[in-house]
Amino acid sequence: MVVTSALDDLQRKARLLENEIDAQLISLNKFNPSDALSSYSYNSNQTKGQGKRAVFDSLTTDIENKLSKLSEINDAMRDCFENDMAEFSKTSVQHIVRRHRDILRDYSTEFTRTTSNIGNQLHREELMAIESESSVNNRCKPTDYLLKEHESISSCDRLLNEQISIAMSVKENLYTQSTGLGSVGKRLNQLTKKYPAINHLMNKIRMKKRKDTLILAAVISTCLVLIFFFIMH
C-alpha cells in the first residue's frame, strides 16, 4: 500500500506539472515579440530588444525547469514500478508510465521547435534594431558625416593632382624626346645636302636592303612551294 501511495503521489505531481507546462507552452506559442513588453517593466538603460529577450528567456527557463522536474518524476515512477512489480497490475501501470513518458516527449519536442522559431525571430529583430540605431546615430551627427565627405573629397583631389603631375611629366619627356629626334633628323638632312657622297651612300644602302628583302622573299616562297609539292606527292 505504501508503494501504491507513492506511485499515486508521483502521478498527481506529474499531472500538475503537465498542466502547468501545457499552459506555458500555449503562452509560448502565442508569444509575440512586438507585444512582449506589455507585462514586463525594464529600466531606461535597457533597449526594447533586451526587454523582449528577457521576457522570452524568463518564460523558456521556467518551462525548462518544469520539464526537467517532470522528467525526474517519470524516472521515479518507472523505478517505482520496476522495483515493486508485484504490487501493481503490470499492464495498467506500464500504460500509465508510458503515457506520462509520451507526454513528456511531446512537450519537449514542441518546446524545442517553438523556442527555435521564436529565437530566430528575436535574433532578426535585434539585428534590424542595431541597423536602425546605427542609421539614427548617423543622422544625429551631420557634422561627422560632413567631415567624412570632406576627407573623401580631399583624398580624391590629392589623387587627381598626383595623376595630373604624372601626366605632365610624361608629356614633357615625350616633348623632349620628339625635339631631340627632330634635331637629329635635321642634322642628317643637312649632312646629306652638304656631302652628296653621303647621300649617295645612303641611297645605295637603301637599295641593298630592298634587294636583300626581295631575295629573301623569293627564297621563302620557293621553299614553301617545294614543301607543298612534296606534301602533295
Side-chain angles (χ1 to χ4, degrees), residues 63-79:
I63 296 175
E64 283 179 349
N65 292 334
K66 289 180 179 178
L67 285 172
S68 178
K69 290 180 181 178
L70 183 59
S71 178
E72 293 175 358
I73 292 174
N74 281 341
D75 292 339
M77 283 193 293
R78 183 193 59 203
D79 294 339

mmCIF file with all atom_site columns, all heavy atoms in Angstrom, residues 63-79:
data_model
loop_
_atom_site.group_PDB
_atom_site.id
_atom_site.type_symbol
_atom_site.label_atom_id
_atom_site.label_alt_id
_atom_site.label_comp_id
_atom_site.label_asym_id
_atom_site.label_entity_id
_atom_site.label_seq_id
_atom_site.pdbx_PDB_ins_code
_atom_site.Cartn_x
_atom_site.Cartn_y
_atom_site.Cartn_z
_atom_site.occupancy
_atom_site.B_iso_or_equiv
_atom_site.pdbx_formal_charge
_atom_site.auth_seq_id
_atom_site.auth_comp_id
_atom_site.auth_asym_id
_atom_site.auth_atom_id
_atom_site.pdbx_PDB_model_num
ATOM 1   N N   . ILE A 1 63 ? 9.924  26.967 -18.245 1.00 0.00 ? 63 ILE A N   1
ATOM 2   C CA  . ILE A 1 63 ? 9.439  25.728 -18.868 1.00 0.00 ? 63 ILE A CA  1
ATOM 3   C C   . ILE A 1 63 ? 10.518 24.650 -18.820 1.00 0.00 ? 63 ILE A C   1
ATOM 4   O O   . ILE A 1 63 ? 10.227 23.468 -18.562 1.00 0.00 ? 63 ILE A O   1
ATOM 5   C CB  . ILE A 1 63 ? 9.007  26.001 -20.322 1.00 0.00 ? 63 ILE A CB  1
ATOM 6   C CG1 . ILE A 1 63 ? 7.812  26.957 -20.351 1.00 0.00 ? 63 ILE A CG1 1
ATOM 7   C CG2 . ILE A 1 63 ? 8.645  24.703 -21.032 1.00 0.00 ? 63 ILE A CG2 1
ATOM 8   C CD1 . ILE A 1 63 ? 7.384  27.380 -21.740 1.00 0.00 ? 63 ILE A CD1 1
ATOM 9   N N   . GLU A 1 64 ? 11.759 25.036 -19.059 1.00 0.00 ? 64 GLU A N   1
ATOM 10  C CA  . GLU A 1 64 ? 12.853 24.059 -19.000 1.00 0.00 ? 64 GLU A CA  1
ATOM 11  C C   . GLU A 1 64 ? 12.956 23.423 -17.616 1.00 0.00 ? 64 GLU A C   1
ATOM 12  O O   . GLU A 1 64 ? 13.151 22.203 -17.489 1.00 0.00 ? 64 GLU A O   1
ATOM 13  C CB  . GLU A 1 64 ? 14.178 24.745 -19.359 1.00 0.00 ? 64 GLU A CB  1
ATOM 14  C CG  . GLU A 1 64 ? 14.366 24.994 -20.844 1.00 0.00 ? 64 GLU A CG  1
ATOM 15  C CD  . GLU A 1 64 ? 15.681 25.692 -21.130 1.00 0.00 ? 64 GLU A CD  1
ATOM 16  O OE1 . GLU A 1 64 ? 16.329 26.163 -20.166 1.00 0.00 ? 64 GLU A OE1 1
ATOM 17  O OE2 . GLU A 1 64 ? 16.068 25.775 -22.306 1.00 0.00 ? 64 GLU A OE2 1
ATOM 18  N N   . ASN A 1 65 ? 12.832 24.245 -16.589 1.00 0.00 ? 65 ASN A N   1
ATOM 19  C CA  . ASN A 1 65 ? 12.910 23.709 -15.223 1.00 0.00 ? 65 ASN A CA  1
ATOM 20  C C   . ASN A 1 65 ? 11.774 22.728 -14.946 1.00 0.00 ? 65 ASN A C   1
ATOM 21  O O   . ASN A 1 65 ? 11.982 21.663 -14.330 1.00 0.00 ? 65 ASN A O   1
ATOM 22  C CB  . ASN A 1 65 ? 12.864 24.857 -14.213 1.00 0.00 ? 65 ASN A CB  1
ATOM 23  C CG  . ASN A 1 65 ? 14.114 25.721 -14.270 1.00 0.00 ? 65 ASN A CG  1
ATOM 24  O OD1 . ASN A 1 65 ? 15.183 25.254 -14.663 1.00 0.00 ? 65 ASN A OD1 1
ATOM 25  N ND2 . ASN A 1 65 ? 13.991 26.987 -13.876 1.00 0.00 ? 65 ASN A ND2 1
ATOM 26  N N   . LYS A 1 66 ? 10.592 23.061 -15.422 1.00 0.00 ? 66 LYS A N   1
ATOM 27  C CA  . LYS A 1 66 ? 9.455  22.172 -15.184 1.00 0.00 ? 66 LYS A CA  1
ATOM 28  C C   . LYS A 1 66 ? 9.570  20.886 -15.996 1.00 0.00 ? 66 LYS A C   1
ATOM 29  O O   . LYS A 1 66 ? 9.185  19.808 -15.530 1.00 0.00 ? 66 LYS A O   1
ATOM 30  C CB  . LYS A 1 66 ? 8.151  22.901 -15.501 1.00 0.00 ? 66 LYS A CB  1
ATOM 31  C CG  . LYS A 1 66 ? 7.831  23.981 -14.468 1.00 0.00 ? 66 LYS A CG  1
ATOM 32  C CD  . LYS A 1 66 ? 6.542  24.716 -14.780 1.00 0.00 ? 66 LYS A CD  1
ATOM 33  C CE  . LYS A 1 66 ? 6.270  25.761 -13.694 1.00 0.00 ? 66 LYS A CE  1
ATOM 34  N NZ  . LYS A 1 66 ? 5.056  26.553 -13.947 1.00 0.00 ? 66 LYS A NZ  1
ATOM 35  N N   . LEU A 1 67 ? 10.096 20.989 -17.200 1.00 0.00 ? 67 LEU A N   1
ATOM 36  C CA  . LEU A 1 67 ? 10.327 19.775 -17.989 1.00 0.00 ? 67 LEU A CA  1
ATOM 37  C C   . LEU A 1 67 ? 11.358 18.879 -17.312 1.00 0.00 ? 67 LEU A C   1
ATOM 38  O O   . LEU A 1 67 ? 11.228 17.643 -17.318 1.00 0.00 ? 67 LEU A O   1
ATOM 39  C CB  . LEU A 1 67 ? 10.800 20.147 -19.400 1.00 0.00 ? 67 LEU A CB  1
ATOM 40  C CG  . LEU A 1 67 ? 9.740  20.697 -20.359 1.00 0.00 ? 67 LEU A CG  1
ATOM 41  C CD1 . LEU A 1 67 ? 10.395 21.190 -21.645 1.00 0.00 ? 67 LEU A CD1 1
ATOM 42  C CD2 . LEU A 1 67 ? 8.693  19.631 -20.681 1.00 0.00 ? 67 LEU A CD2 1
ATOM 43  N N   . SER A 1 68 ? 12.357 19.494 -16.730 1.00 0.00 ? 68 SER A N   1
ATOM 44  C CA  . SER A 1 68 ? 13.365 18.712 -16.010 1.00 0.00 ? 68 SER A CA  1
ATOM 45  C C   . SER A 1 68 ? 12.753 18.011 -14.796 1.00 0.00 ? 68 SER A C   1
ATOM 46  O O   . SER A 1 68 ? 13.027 16.827 -14.538 1.00 0.00 ? 68 SER A O   1
ATOM 47  C CB  . SER A 1 68 ? 14.507 19.635 -15.579 1.00 0.00 ? 68 SER A CB  1
ATOM 48  O OG  . SER A 1 68 ? 15.482 18.928 -14.849 1.00 0.00 ? 68 SER A OG  1
ATOM 49  N N   . LYS A 1 69 ? 11.900 18.724 -14.062 1.00 0.00 ? 69 LYS A N   1
ATOM 50  C CA  . LYS A 1 69 ? 11.235 18.108 -12.905 1.00 0.00 ? 69 LYS A CA  1
ATOM 51  C C   . LYS A 1 69 ? 10.309 16.978 -13.345 1.00 0.00 ? 69 LYS A C   1
ATOM 52  O O   . LYS A 1 69 ? 10.247 15.919 -12.704 1.00 0.00 ? 69 LYS A O   1
ATOM 53  C CB  . LYS A 1 69 ? 10.434 19.167 -12.144 1.00 0.00 ? 69 LYS A CB  1
ATOM 54  C CG  . LYS A 1 69 ? 11.299 20.189 -11.417 1.00 0.00 ? 69 LYS A CG  1
ATOM 55  C CD  . LYS A 1 69 ? 10.427 21.210 -10.698 1.00 0.00 ? 69 LYS A CD  1
ATOM 56  C CE  . LYS A 1 69 ? 11.273 22.255 -9.988  1.00 0.00 ? 69 LYS A CE  1
ATOM 57  N NZ  . LYS A 1 69 ? 10.443 23.285 -9.307  1.00 0.00 ? 69 LYS A NZ  1
ATOM 58  N N   . LEU A 1 70 ? 9.593  17.207 -14.452 1.00 0.00 ? 70 LEU A N   1
ATOM 59  C CA  . LEU A 1 70 ? 8.697  16.166 -14.951 1.00 0.00 ? 70 LEU A CA  1
ATOM 60  C C   . LEU A 1 70 ? 9.483  14.933 -15.385 1.00 0.00 ? 70 LEU A C   1
ATOM 61  O O   . LEU A 1 70 ? 9.038  13.791 -15.167 1.00 0.00 ? 70 LEU A O   1
ATOM 62  C CB  . LEU A 1 70 ? 7.878  16.709 -16.123 1.00 0.00 ? 70 LEU A CB  1
ATOM 63  C CG  . LEU A 1 70 ? 6.833  15.762 -16.720 1.00 0.00 ? 70 LEU A CG  1
ATOM 64  C CD1 . LEU A 1 70 ? 5.820  15.340 -15.660 1.00 0.00 ? 70 LEU A CD1 1
ATOM 65  C CD2 . LEU A 1 70 ? 6.124  16.412 -17.900 1.00 0.00 ? 70 LEU A CD2 1
ATOM 66  N N   . SER A 1 71 ? 10.649 15.136 -15.962 1.00 0.00 ? 71 SER A N   1
ATOM 67  C CA  . SER A 1 71 ? 11.493 14.005 -16.341 1.00 0.00 ? 71 SER A CA  1
ATOM 68  C C   . SER A 1 71 ? 11.938 13.218 -15.107 1.00 0.00 ? 71 SER A C   1
ATOM 69  O O   . SER A 1 71 ? 11.951 11.975 -15.115 1.00 0.00 ? 71 SER A O   1
ATOM 70  C CB  . SER A 1 71 ? 12.713 14.515 -17.114 1.00 0.00 ? 71 SER A CB  1
ATOM 71  O OG  . SER A 1 71 ? 13.579 13.456 -17.449 1.00 0.00 ? 71 SER A OG  1
ATOM 72  N N   . GLU A 1 72 ? 12.272 13.935 -14.040 1.00 0.00 ? 72 GLU A N   1
ATOM 73  C CA  . GLU A 1 72 ? 12.676 13.253 -12.804 1.00 0.00 ? 72 GLU A CA  1
ATOM 74  C C   . GLU A 1 72 ? 11.511 12.449 -12.221 1.00 0.00 ? 72 GLU A C   1
ATOM 75  O O   . GLU A 1 72 ? 11.695 11.322 -11.729 1.00 0.00 ? 72 GLU A O   1
ATOM 76  C CB  . GLU A 1 72 ? 13.167 14.285 -11.792 1.00 0.00 ? 72 GLU A CB  1
ATOM 77  C CG  . GLU A 1 72 ? 14.467 14.975 -12.202 1.00 0.00 ? 72 GLU A CG  1
ATOM 78  C CD  . GLU A 1 72 ? 14.856 16.081 -11.235 1.00 0.00 ? 72 GLU A CD  1
ATOM 79  O OE1 . GLU A 1 72 ? 14.076 16.325 -10.276 1.00 0.00 ? 72 GLU A OE1 1
ATOM 80  O OE2 . GLU A 1 72 ? 15.914 16.705 -11.438 1.00 0.00 ? 72 GLU A OE2 1
ATOM 81  N N   . ILE A 1 73 ? 10.312 13.017 -12.277 1.00 0.00 ? 73 ILE A N   1
ATOM 82  C CA  . ILE A 1 73 ? 9.141  12.298 -11.755 1.00 0.00 ? 73 ILE A CA  1
ATOM 83  C C   . ILE A 1 73 ? 8.866  11.051 -12.589 1.00 0.00 ? 73 ILE A C   1
ATOM 84  O O   . ILE A 1 73 ? 8.526  9.979  -12.057 1.00 0.00 ? 73 ILE A O   1
ATOM 85  C CB  . ILE A 1 73 ? 7.912  13.232 -11.724 1.00 0.00 ? 73 ILE A CB  1
ATOM 86  C CG1 . ILE A 1 73 ? 8.119  14.329 -10.673 1.00 0.00 ? 73 ILE A CG1 1
ATOM 87  C CG2 . ILE A 1 73 ? 6.639  12.454 -11.438 1.00 0.00 ? 73 ILE A CG2 1
ATOM 88  C CD1 . ILE A 1 73 ? 7.026  15.382 -10.668 1.00 0.00 ? 73 ILE A CD1 1
ATOM 89  N N   . ASN A 1 74 ? 9.009  11.167 -13.914 1.00 0.00 ? 74 ASN A N   1
ATOM 90  C CA  . ASN A 1 74 ? 8.812  9.990  -14.774 1.00 0.00 ? 74 ASN A CA  1
ATOM 91  C C   . ASN A 1 74 ? 9.824  8.897  -14.448 1.00 0.00 ? 74 ASN A C   1
ATOM 92  O O   . ASN A 1 74 ? 9.484  7.698  -14.414 1.00 0.00 ? 74 ASN A O   1
ATOM 93  C CB  . ASN A 1 74 ? 8.940  10.390 -16.245 1.00 0.00 ? 74 ASN A CB  1
ATOM 94  C CG  . ASN A 1 74 ? 7.690  11.063 -16.770 1.00 0.00 ? 74 ASN A CG  1
ATOM 95  O OD1 . ASN A 1 74 ? 6.618  10.934 -16.186 1.00 0.00 ? 74 ASN A OD1 1
ATOM 96  N ND2 . ASN A 1 74 ? 7.810  11.782 -17.869 1.00 0.00 ? 74 ASN A ND2 1
ATOM 97  N N   . ASP A 1 75 ? 11.061 9.299  -14.208 1.00 0.00 ? 75 ASP A N   1
ATOM 98  C CA  . ASP A 1 75 ? 12.079 8.311  -13.833 1.00 0.00 ? 75 ASP A CA  1
ATOM 99  C C   . ASP A 1 75 ? 11.728 7.649  -12.500 1.00 0.00 ? 75 ASP A C   1
ATOM 100 O O   . ASP A 1 75 ? 11.910 6.430  -12.321 1.00 0.00 ? 75 ASP A O   1
ATOM 101 C CB  . ASP A 1 75 ? 13.454 8.987  -13.736 1.00 0.00 ? 75 ASP A CB  1
ATOM 102 C CG  . ASP A 1 75 ? 13.966 9.453  -15.094 1.00 0.00 ? 75 ASP A CG  1
ATOM 103 O OD1 . ASP A 1 75 ? 13.484 8.929  -16.119 1.00 0.00 ? 75 ASP A OD1 1
ATOM 104 O OD2 . ASP A 1 75 ? 14.844 10.345 -15.126 1.00 0.00 ? 75 ASP A OD2 1
ATOM 105 N N   . ALA A 1 76 ? 11.219 8.460  -11.571 1.00 0.00 ? 76 ALA A N   1
ATOM 106 C CA  . ALA A 1 76 ? 10.840 7.903  -10.265 1.00 0.00 ? 76 ALA A CA  1
ATOM 107 C C   . ALA A 1 76 ? 9.676  6.923  -10.407 1.00 0.00 ? 76 ALA A C   1
ATOM 108 O O   . ALA A 1 76 ? 9.652  5.861  -9.750  1.00 0.00 ? 76 ALA A O   1
ATOM 109 C CB  . ALA A 1 76 ? 10.472 9.038  -9.312  1.00 0.00 ? 76 ALA A CB  1
ATOM 110 N N   . MET A 1 77 ? 8.692  7.247  -11.245 1.00 0.00 ? 77 MET A N   1
ATOM 111 C CA  . MET A 1 77 ? 7.568  6.321  -11.463 1.00 0.00 ? 77 MET A CA  1
ATOM 112 C C   . MET A 1 77 ? 8.044  5.029  -12.105 1.00 0.00 ? 77 MET A C   1
ATOM 113 O O   . MET A 1 77 ? 7.598  3.936  -11.735 1.00 0.00 ? 77 MET A O   1
ATOM 114 C CB  . MET A 1 77 ? 6.507  6.997  -12.349 1.00 0.00 ? 77 MET A CB  1
ATOM 115 C CG  . MET A 1 77 ? 5.649  8.014  -11.621 1.00 0.00 ? 77 MET A CG  1
ATOM 116 S SD  . MET A 1 77 ? 4.183  8.518  -12.572 1.00 0.00 ? 77 MET A SD  1
ATOM 117 C CE  . MET A 1 77 ? 4.962  9.379  -13.925 1.00 0.00 ? 77 MET A CE  1
ATOM 118 N N   . ARG A 1 78 ? 8.950  5.132  -13.053 1.00 0.00 ? 78 ARG A N   1
ATOM 119 C CA  . ARG A 1 78 ? 9.470  3.922  -13.694 1.00 0.00 ? 78 ARG A CA  1
ATOM 120 C C   . ARG A 1 78 ? 10.231 3.056  -12.687 1.00 0.00 ? 78 ARG A C   1
ATOM 121 O O   . ARG A 1 78 ? 10.065 1.829  -12.650 1.00 0.00 ? 78 ARG A O   1
ATOM 122 C CB  . ARG A 1 78 ? 10.391 4.320  -14.844 1.00 0.00 ? 78 ARG A CB  1
ATOM 123 C CG  . ARG A 1 78 ? 10.937 3.135  -15.644 1.00 0.00 ? 78 ARG A CG  1
ATOM 124 C CD  . ARG A 1 78 ? 12.067 3.584  -16.536 1.00 0.00 ? 78 ARG A CD  1
ATOM 125 N NE  . ARG A 1 78 ? 13.142 4.159  -15.737 1.00 0.00 ? 78 ARG A NE  1
ATOM 126 C CZ  . ARG A 1 78 ? 14.056 5.018  -16.190 1.00 0.00 ? 78 ARG A CZ  1
ATOM 127 N NH1 . ARG A 1 78 ? 13.999 5.426  -17.439 1.00 0.00 ? 78 ARG A NH1 1
ATOM 128 N NH2 . ARG A 1 78 ? 15.004 5.477  -15.388 1.00 0.00 ? 78 ARG A NH2 1
ATOM 129 N N   . ASP A 1 79 ? 11.048 3.704  -11.855 1.00 0.00 ? 79 ASP A N   1
ATOM 130 C CA  . ASP A 1 79 ? 11.796 2.945  -10.847 1.00 0.00 ? 79 ASP A CA  1
ATOM 131 C C   . ASP A 1 79 ? 10.845 2.295  -9.845  1.00 0.00 ? 79 ASP A C   1
ATOM 132 O O   . ASP A 1 79 ? 11.055 1.143  -9.418  1.00 0.00 ? 79 ASP A O   1
ATOM 133 C CB  . ASP A 1 79 ? 12.773 3.871  -10.117 1.00 0.00 ? 79 ASP A CB  1
ATOM 134 C CG  . ASP A 1 79 ? 13.872 4.384  -11.033 1.00 0.00 ? 79 ASP A CG  1
ATOM 135 O OD1 . ASP A 1 79 ? 14.112 3.744  -12.086 1.00 0.00 ? 79 ASP A OD1 1
ATOM 136 O OD2 . ASP A 1 79 ? 14.482 5.428  -10.712 1.00 0.00 ? 79 ASP A OD2 1
#
